Amino acid sequence: MACPATSSLRSVTLTSSRPARLIFRSAACRAPIVAKVRLSLSAAAAGGGSSSSEPRQPPPVHVAAEEGIGLEIQVSKVETKRNRRVVRARVRVDAPLEAVWATLTDYEGLADFIPGLAECRLLDRDSSQGFARLYQVGEQDLALGFKFNARGTIDCYEGDMESLPGEAARRREISFNMIDGDFKLFQGKWSLLQLQEEEDHQQATTLLSYLVELEPKLWVPVRLLEGRICTEIKNNLVSIRQQAQRRRTTLHKE
């Protein structure tokens, strides 16, 4: 998830460098799961069904999972769009929804703990409307020693808290859309789902889900990125998870 807008941005550049670990970043946010509950990624991540506007997806081209933290990632092709991919991911966070939300919306602090996010600036914010605009600079290393630098201005829209009927669950989402930058399309959402309230707030568990549909500029084939996307999104989700769990203690004291 990322967010803000400015003047024209520099285009993506490919520069030679030593191969290093991939870093894929564009916006400033991420995805959910719960230890005792198993949800299919084909269903709504974070407690909701797939959007009717969401394109029908063929089988995923890449899948990654780590059961210990409830991590799942799928990268799928989009039929009729050769250079477009849809990524669905989620992870379990051992912290209340408020701690995860505070982590994702600390926009100017995201670059401090998310690998590969070189810069994240808050350009505009209207808390009364739940709006934030971010400018982000990400960096990743590709095969053969090439480095991919991406810059973008992203608008974020923070949804209100929802209580799910018939369930002791709460959900909140952040949708985002790149309005200017190095991707032809980069839009999606973060969903946070806390399935039940715990008497001890520190024992609460939140399922963080991430959904993004992306398409680089035509001269940056997405097939060069997709093999590493799973690794980078995993790193991002794990970093967010760890940061939110650190925040848990702070919120509990407050």
Side-chain angles (χ1 to χ4, degrees):
M1 174 191 79
C3 307
T6 61
S7 54
S8 60
L9 303 175
R10 283 182 289 171
S11 58
V12 180
T13 58
L14 289 175
T15 57
S16 179
S17 66
R18 288 184 308 176
R21 64 191 182 91
L22 164 72
I23 300 172
F24 181 76
R25 186 56 78 266
S26 23
C29 306
R30 318 60 193 156
I33 287 193
V34 173
K36 299 179 181 178
V37 177
R38 191 72 173 177
L39 301 176
S40 170
L41 279 173
S42 61
S50 297
S51 170
S52 58
S53 62
E54 185 180 322
R56 183 168 60 91
Q57 299 301 321
V61 293
H62 289 282
V63 178
E66 187 172 323
E67 293 186 3
I69 58 174
L71 176 70
E72 293 184 18
I73 303 171
Q74 287 186 0
V75 181
S76 302
K77 294 181 179 180
V78 176
E79 294 180 350
T80 75
K81 295 291 184 178
R82 182 178 179 181
N83 209 37
R84 187 172 297 185
R85 296 294 183 269
V86 171
V87 181
R88 294 176 175 83
R90 62 183 185 179
V91 69
R92 186 186 69 249
V93 183
D94 298 324
L97 185 151
E98 289 80 5
V100 184
W101 183 266
T103 299
L104 291 179
T105 57
D106 179 17
Y107 300 118
E108 293 185 299
L110 292 172
D112 294 338
F113 63 89
I114 294 179
L117 185 59
E119 180 180 355
C120 184
R121 280 191 282 127
L122 181 62
L123 301 181
D124 187 19
R125 187 164 196 172
D126 185 344
S127 298
S128 65
Q129 299 296 318
F131 171 78
R133 175 167 288 171
L134 311 176
Y135 174 70
Q136 293 184 334
V137 178
E139 187 176 275
Q140 75 174 28
D141 297 310
L142 304 178
L144 305 178
F146 289 104
K147 187 177 292 290
F148 176 72
N149 297 306
R151 303 164 189 271
T153 297
I154 302 171
D155 282 350
C156 299
Y157 300 90
E158 303 168 359
D160 295 330
M161 184 75 74
E162 300 177 68
S163 294
L164 302 184
E167 304 178 45
R170 298 181 301 147
R171 180 177 61 199
R172 199 169 184 186
E173 298 182 337
I174 301 172
S175 60
F176 57 87
N177 179 44
M178 181 178 286
I179 62 170
D180 193 6
D182 294 328
F183 281 83
K184 183 176 181 180
L185 175 71
F186 191 92
Q187 63 183 18
K189 68 177 180 179
W190 290 96
S191 296
L192 293 70
L193 177 67
Q194 185 174 317
L195 290 184
Q196 61 184 18
E197 291 286 353
E198 298 284 350
E199 291 185 7
D200 183 351
H201 207 48
Q202 294 216 69
Q203 298 302 314
T205 299
T206 300
L207 184 64
L208 174 63
S209 298
Y210 179 61
L211 171 66
V212 65
E213 185 174 358
L214 58 89
E215 182 177 351
K217 302 294 187 181
L218 293 178
W219 40 270
V220 184
V222 72
R223 67 178 180 274
L224 296 179
L225 307 178
E226 66 183 21
R228 297 179 181 264
I229 287 176
C230 282
T231 299
E232 288 311 306
I233 290 182
K234 174 184 175 181
N235 292 340
N236 297 345
L237 292 179
V238 170
S239 297
I240 294 167
R241 179 179 187 269
Q242 293 172 343
Q243 182 70 7
Q245 291 177 173
R246 285 191 288 267
R247 281 182 178 269
R248 173 184 56 189
T249 302
T250 302
L251 289 176
H252 180 68
K253 290 179 179 178
E254 295 176 351

